[in-house]
Amino acid sequence: MKFHLTLLTFLLTFSFLHAAKGASTDPGDDMKGLVKGQIIDGSTGAPLEYTTVSVYALPDSNLVTGGITDGEGIFSIELKTGRYYLEVAYISYQKLETKPFEIARGRMSADLGRIEMQPDATTLEQVEVRAEKSRMQMSLDKRVFNVGKDLANLGGSATDVLDNVPSVTVDVEGNVSLRGSGGVRILINGRPSSLVGVGDTDGLRNIPANLIERVEVITNPSSRYEAEGMAGIINIILKKEKRKGWNGSVDVTGGYPEQAGLAINTNYRVKKWNFFANYGLTYRQSPGSGSRYQEVYDRNEFGPDTTFIQDLTRDRTRGGWDNNIRVGADYSFSETSTLTANFTYSVEDGDNISEITYRDFINSLENPTGISTRTDNEREEEADLEYVMTYRKEFKGKGHQFTTDIRYQDSEELETSTIREAYFTPEFEETGASELEQRSSNLELQRQLIWQADYVRPFAEEGKFEVGLRAGLRDIETNFQVDEFGVSGWENLPEFTNNFLFDEDVYAAYTSIGNKYGDFSFQAGVRAEYTNMVTELVATEQVNPREYFNLFPSVFLGYDLGETGNSMQVSYSRRINRPNFWSLNPFFSFSDARNIFTGNPNLDPEFTDSYEINYLKYWDNASMTAGVFYRFTTGKTERIQRVNSEGITFTQPENLATEDAYGLDVTFSISPTKWWDLDGNVNFFRSIISGTTESGEDLGADAITSFGRLTSQITLWDELNTQVRFNYRAPRNDPQGRDKSMYHMDLTLSKDILEKKGTLTFSVSDVFNSRRWRYVNEGTGFYSEGDFQWRARQARLTFSYRINQQKKRRGNYGGGYDGGGGDF
């Protein structure tokens, strides 16, 4: 019923808007003419390919349409009858406007001949062709990183891309943080996607970096965006070309430890149709390892004042095949009305092996009691489907538009494990005890339907009014089962077996208004969200309904400080971080029998009030953004560890009281010479957490930490591009211990070949094999310390070939300015 009601709303909205165009009473209004010409260099006469040509209508100078010149500098654009002029723009050339021309009955073609562009001497001193470095652009409510120009991303995954974006960190378990805080909302093309995974970020490792066009980072989102995500929003935009004709690119990757990949992007645009497709194929084997030393005090079976010691070592390899394909098409009913449909299919076939060795001691390492080993062979099969349909209607006036889309996601994942545990003496000799044999299976099913509509109405010269609606309906079901082989064969373990249902519906409406008066700009809005969530343990018939309605205001104030590229902004927004599916699911992880993670069905959402002051400054060859921020969070969620009398560690998320978080975020980019680019990002962060457990244990923590990265790119002889990136993360306290410092360095070399149609890139991630998470945990009755490495040092070679494409051009100071006071 939810699906049919939402689909009916979408279809009625689409039909109404399409019918609202009305039928033209003048048959001549639907006649199409043609404007054509050739753009050339005024000093040399050479044709200028990929020049931008924009068409404006007279007398109101509204943007109508546009195009890009071909390899001979020629353009040809269809137009209705009317009077127009062209604006022609090309990097390092002076922008020009043509004389007015007319498309009319009896004169349906306008040939403007050879249009000469003159080089811009000032721009030429500051601009040169480069494609290696990420370019950052500022707008009112986001930062945009064109990550396709970062050498280190080639051949990697979306996880690698995010870890190279300023202010973003990805830990050894794949968790994404923004400015030192988790709870980040990750979107694909502006919407939740099955590509990201069910309640986690595992799916990011399955998206080849070569399929990503750019990443948008929104640290203080406006009311237009979902309120979900305490720390902000990261929006990953996949590639889709806009050039006419056929174009594309192919990337082939090989690496060690075993890695192979293929990424294909293709696009074909003709008349009213635009067809696009992305395909990614990846095979990888990612070895990892870890260790942990743990002391448990006063275990009952050993009597008082007894210390039970456990020394654990782990080796793990995760790998297998990942395939994903995305195909779609745009159809233009008219110059102002477009329908887009696309389909995404992703499939994963993984084999993961984990080997754990437990060495047990009493009171000291001089008194061993035994050794046991546990081997887990896991097979992981996952299939994700996504169907999307989007309708866009543009009205008279720049930026006046209505957009609505509907998407349906269907995901299925089956994990099966075969587990064996063997027992040995302290001398590593067999004890004669029978091996423990277990098997587990976990089937996850997710269905999600999302409908959204947005209307934008400009007013005055730079004012804008927005309003929108959204409905998100999600159902997840898991069937988890563990069996153990006993005297009568395979027997089910009921304490580890259950069927868990998760049903979450979120309905939202928002409105915002913004304008600019001289150097001052503002934007204010409010978003209302109603959440209805129900979880159920089928076997025990435990139903846990949650229902809440919240308002999420946002305010942005910007001021231009008298010169271009020098501005400040003050902003406020309220956010929510709802507990995800895995945080609520009480099923046990089972690969490590002595360290078990379980969800908490009683977990409440976190609410955050976020305040920021930001500053943007550009110089001739440098740019810098600096911001201070404060976040106050209620219902703060932390993973709390407890150890039972048998020495088994249970980790469960729990709501504490509050968190006060302060920070400073600085990003800079500088080009000391034409052949050297240097950029970096530094974050200083303080988090004060307060809270106690039901038993009265104080879990407060005061953490002062920092993290940063520095990237240096140098162009050597014969245009050999080199890039070195250094990352550092300082120690950090948490409610039950601390994380130690961590650092790693990446190296990349890149060279254009085949007349610059191809690029060969060699990279080494984690050159010193030093990226290991090291930690210390302390709680009631236990102490532990350890380390873990998610992925060992990796080297890879990538070959990229462009079909009817040029490498991107960019300014050498590494930034662009998008007006409106900026957002940081």
Side-chain angles (χ1 to χ4, degrees):
M1 180 63 68
K2 296 174 186 175
F3 175 87
H4 286 96
L5 287 175
T6 307
L7 180 60
L8 179 62
T9 304
F10 174 81
L11 294 176
L12 288 174
T13 305
F14 173 81
S15 301
F16 171 78
L17 288 170
H18 199 58
K21 291 176 56 183
S24 175
T25 58
D26 184 356
D29 290 343
D30 293 329
M31 299 178 64
K32 291 291 186 68
L34 196 70
V35 59
K36 57 185 178 181
Q38 183 184 32
I39 310 299
I40 63 172
D41 186 310
S43 58
T44 66
L48 297 178
E49 58 181 337
Y50 303 117
T51 303
T52 302
V53 180
S54 304
V55 182
Y56 291 86
L58 290 172
D60 53 9
S61 294
N62 282 332
L63 177 65
V64 176
T65 185
I68 298 176
T69 61
D70 61 17
E72 299 299 322
I74 296 173
F75 67 90
S76 179
I77 302 173
E78 283 189 348
L79 293 172
K80 291 183 178 180
T81 56
R83 296 184 70 245
Y84 306 93
Y85 70 90
L86 304 183
E87 183 180 272
V88 184
Y90 190 68
I91 193 168
S92 76
Y93 285 80
Q94 298 175 12
K95 185 182 296 185
L96 65 83
E97 293 182 0
T98 67
K99 294 180 180 180
F101 62 90
E102 186 174 13
I103 302 294
R105 297 181 185 179
R107 192 169 63 254
M108 298 301 293
S109 177
D111 189 348
L112 304 187
R114 292 159 64 90
I115 301 175
E116 297 184 355
M117 298 192 72
Q118 302 300 322
D120 188 334
T122 302
T123 303
L124 282 174
E125 292 179 359
Q126 298 180 352
V127 178
E128 59 184 284
V129 176
R130 295 196 185 175
E132 301 86 13
K133 183 181 178 185
S134 298
R135 177 175 177 176
M136 181 171 60
Q137 296 172 303
M138 302 294 174
S139 64
L140 185 62
D141 55 0
K142 61 188 172 187
R143 285 183 289 178
V144 180
F145 299 91
N146 297 311
V147 296
K149 302 171 188 177
D150 193 319
L151 300 181
N153 294 325
L154 293 175
S157 67
T159 300
D160 301 308
V161 170
L162 294 186
D163 204 30
N164 290 328
V165 171
S167 305
V168 178
T169 56
V170 182
D171 67 19
V172 292
E173 294 182 335
N175 300 310
V176 179
S177 299
L178 179 58
R179 286 177 166 175
S181 296
V184 182
R185 183 61 160 166
I186 298 178
L187 307 176
I188 304 292
N189 293 330
R191 300 288 188 266
S193 174
S194 59
L195 291 175
V196 176
V198 181
D200 53 39
T201 57
D202 284 347
L204 293 174
R205 294 192 298 271
N206 303 333
I207 305 175
N210 315 72
L211 302 184
I212 299 174
E213 177 70 23
R214 65 184 185 275
V215 172
E216 300 175 347
V217 176
I218 309 162
T219 56
N220 217 9
S222 70
S223 60
R224 177 185 179 93
Y225 299 94
E226 291 180 80
E228 178 72 34
M230 178 185 67
I233 292 174
I234 296 176
N235 184 24
I236 299 173
I237 305 296
L238 302 181
K239 290 180 178 178
K240 187 177 75 171
E241 290 289 347
K242 298 182 179 180
R243 299 183 181 92
K244 287 186 176 180
W246 180 57
N247 55 79
S249 63
V250 179
D251 299 87
V252 181
T253 299
Y256 181 82
E258 294 89 340
Q259 179 184 359
L262 173 68
I264 300 174
N265 298 283
T266 185
N267 198 90
Y268 181 70
R269 183 181 293 271
V270 58
K271 295 183 178 179
K272 294 185 177 183
W273 287 95
N274 176 55
F275 302 93
F276 54 90
N278 311 119
Y279 174 70
L281 171 65
T282 303
Y283 173 80
R284 62 167 53 90
Q285 292 292 326
S286 299
S289 61
S291 65
R292 191 183 67 175
Y293 173 86
Q294 178 174 279
E295 296 179 355
V296 179
Y297 311 116
D298 297 332
R299 276 184 49 180
N300 294 338
E301 65 266 37
F302 293 101
D305 301 323
T306 300
T307 300
F308 175 76
I309 300 174
Q310 177 192 115
D311 190 9
L312 176 152
T313 58
R314 177 200 305 269
D315 288 300
R316 185 181 66 178
T317 300
R318 295 181 60 89
W321 292 92
D322 300 313
N323 285 267
N324 64 76
I325 184 170
R326 174 173 172 262
V327 296
D330 304 315
Y331 178 76
S332 299
F333 297 101
S334 66
E335 294 174 355
T336 61
S337 179
T338 304
L339 180 67
T340 300
N342 67 76
F343 164 77
T344 302
Y345 176 63
S346 175
V347 61
E348 178 182 354
D349 187 357
D351 287 298
N352 308 317
I353 300 176
S354 175
E355 297 179 350
I356 302 175
T357 300
Y358 306 96
R359 290 177 169 84
D360 298 321
F361 306 83
I362 293 294
N363 292 328
S364 74
L365 296 178
E366 303 299 324
N367 188 22
T369 60
I371 300 173
S372 60
T373 61
R374 185 178 179 89
T375 302
D376 182 355
N377 289 283
E378 180 191 53
R379 182 164 180 79
E380 191 173 3
E381 300 174 89
E382 181 175 357
D384 303 308
L385 296 170
E386 184 176 57
Y387 309 86
V388 183
M389 184 172 291
T390 303
Y391 175 72
R392 179 188 298 271
K393 170 66 178 176
E394 296 179 355
F395 302 96
K396 185 176 180 179
K398 185 177 180 181
H400 186 191
Q401 65 181 26
F402 172 86
T403 305
T404 183
D405 72 10
I406 188 167
R407 62 188 58 226
Y408 176 71
Q409 300 166 359
D410 187 340
S411 301
E412 179 177 321
E413 181 179 6
L414 175 62
E415 297 176 346
T416 56
S417 288
T418 301
I419 301 167
R420 291 181 178 273
E421 191 163 320
Y423 307 100
F424 304 89
T425 67
E427 293 75 29
F428 223 126
E429 296 177 354
E430 294 185 1
T431 62
S434 300
E435 285 191 354
L436 175 68
E437 293 185 65
Q438 296 172 326
R439 64 187 184 189
S440 68
S441 67
N442 185 25
L443 176 63
E444 302 169 13
L445 304 173
Q446 176 182 230
R447 309 289 184 270
Q448 186 167 216
L449 177 68
I450 302 172
W451 172 77
Q452 183 162 334
D454 302 282
Y455 175 73
V456 182
R457 180 66 166 93
F459 65 90
E461 184 175 349
E462 296 192 45
K464 183 170 64 174
F465 169 76
E466 297 180 80
V467 65
L469 298 171
R470 184 183 188 274
L473 317 176
R474 183 169 62 150
D475 297 303
I476 302 177
E477 177 181 358
T478 67
N479 289 277
F480 188 67
Q481 179 173 315
V482 178
D483 300 319
E484 184 171 304
F485 192 79
V487 293
S488 58
W490 288 104
E491 301 174 354
N492 181 254
L493 301 181
E495 66 271 27
F496 292 104
T497 300
N498 211 320
N499 183 13
F500 183 67
L501 304 179
F502 172 88
D503 185 358
E504 181 186 64
D505 299 338
V506 181
Y507 302 90
Y510 77 90
T511 183
S512 71
I513 188 170
N515 204 353
K516 186 174 183 180
Y517 301 94
D519 293 330
F520 174 78
S521 62
F522 81 93
Q523 184 186 82
V526 63
R527 185 180 186 92
E529 291 192 350
Y530 166 74
T531 303
N532 184 14
M533 182 178 66
V534 180
T535 62
E536 179 182 358
L537 286 168
V538 176
T540 58
E541 298 183 347
Q542 291 177 274
V543 179
N544 192 349
R546 301 295 179 91
E547 184 178 6
Y548 37 90
F549 174 82
N550 305 102
L551 295 177
F552 301 94
S554 62
V555 179
F556 298 82
L557 303 175
Y559 185 74
D560 292 336
L561 299 176
E563 51 183 293
T564 301
N566 191 14
S567 57
M568 291 190 67
Q569 184 189 74
V570 179
S571 63
Y572 163 78
S573 71
R574 181 168 171 80
R575 311 288 297 162
I576 185 174
N577 188 32
R578 299 180 183 88
N580 62 32
F581 165 73
W582 281 113
S583 297
L584 296 170
N585 187 349
F587 294 163
F588 298 92
S589 63
F590 207 66
S591 60
D592 184 349
R594 301 193 189 183
N595 302 278
I596 295 175
F597 173 84
T598 176
N600 181 0
N602 298 314
L603 207 59
D604 292 321
E606 300 172 294
F607 291 93
T608 297
D609 292 284
S610 178
Y611 306 82
E612 294 189 16
I613 301 176
N614 299 285
Y615 173 70
L616 165 67
K617 173 64 178 176
Y618 281 114
W619 294 273
D620 289 340
N621 65 339
S623 62
M624 182 194 72
T625 67
V628 294
F629 58 90
Y630 167 67
R631 292 194 294 262
F632 176 73
T633 301
T634 58
K636 175 64 177 176
T637 300
E638 286 287 334
R639 291 185 176 186
I640 305 303
Q641 291 186 356
R642 292 179 174 86
V643 180
N644 67 9
S645 60
E646 298 177 355
I648 298 176
T649 301
F650 289 87
T651 303
Q652 183 182 56
E654 296 185 16
N655 291 113
L656 302 182
T658 62
E659 179 189 39
D660 292 279
Y662 311 83
L664 170 66
D665 184 354
V666 179
T667 301
F668 66 89
S669 175
I670 184 172
S671 296
T673 68
K674 293 182 178 180
W675 46 266
W676 185 19
D677 291 324
L678 193 66
D679 64 67
N681 171 247
V682 179
N683 279 259
F684 297 94
F685 183 77
R686 184 183 184 187
S687 168
I688 303 174
I689 298 175
S690 62
T692 58
T693 65
E694 294 181 357
S695 61
E697 180 183 359
D698 184 9
L699 293 178
D702 188 347
I704 300 176
T705 187
S706 64
F707 64 90
R709 57 171 54 89
L710 181 66
T711 303
S712 175
Q713 293 190 31
I714 297 177
T715 302
L716 303 176
W717 57 93
D718 293 330
E719 297 185 1
L720 175 64
N721 299 304
T722 65
Q723 176 177 292
V724 178
R725 172 174 287 128
F726 181 79
N727 294 266
Y728 175 76
R729 194 176 308 177
R732 176 174 178 171
N733 295 332
D734 61 47
Q736 288 187 303
R738 66 184 184 277
D739 294 336
K740 297 182 180 181
S741 63
M742 180 171 62
Y743 70 93
H744 69 277
M745 190 182 82
D746 303 324
L747 172 66
T748 308
L749 304 175
S750 179
K751 178 75 170 66
D752 287 340
I753 58 176
L754 303 178
E755 298 179 349
K756 295 190 176 182
K757 293 182 178 180
T759 302
L760 202 60
T761 304
F762 174 74
S763 62
V764 180
S765 59
D766 194 6
V767 174
F768 301 112
N769 207 31
S770 57
R771 189 177 184 182
R772 301 187 72 92
W773 173 42
R774 301 178 300 148
Y775 61 90
V776 174
N777 288 328
E778 291 184 86
T780 302
F782 77 93
Y783 167 88
S784 66
E785 61 177 274
D787 66 90
F788 182 71
Q789 184 179 42
W790 178 267
R791 184 178 61 187
R793 174 177 51 221
Q794 187 170 62
R796 61 176 177 255
L797 181 66
T798 300
F799 170 67
S800 304
Y801 185 77
R802 293 170 290 278
I803 304 170
N804 295 329
Q805 291 184 356
Q806 283 191 330
K807 295 185 74 174
K808 305 288 186 181
R809 290 175 163 83
R810 63 174 293 274
N812 73 341
Y813 55 75
Y817 180 65
D818 201 26
D823 179 66
F824 308 80

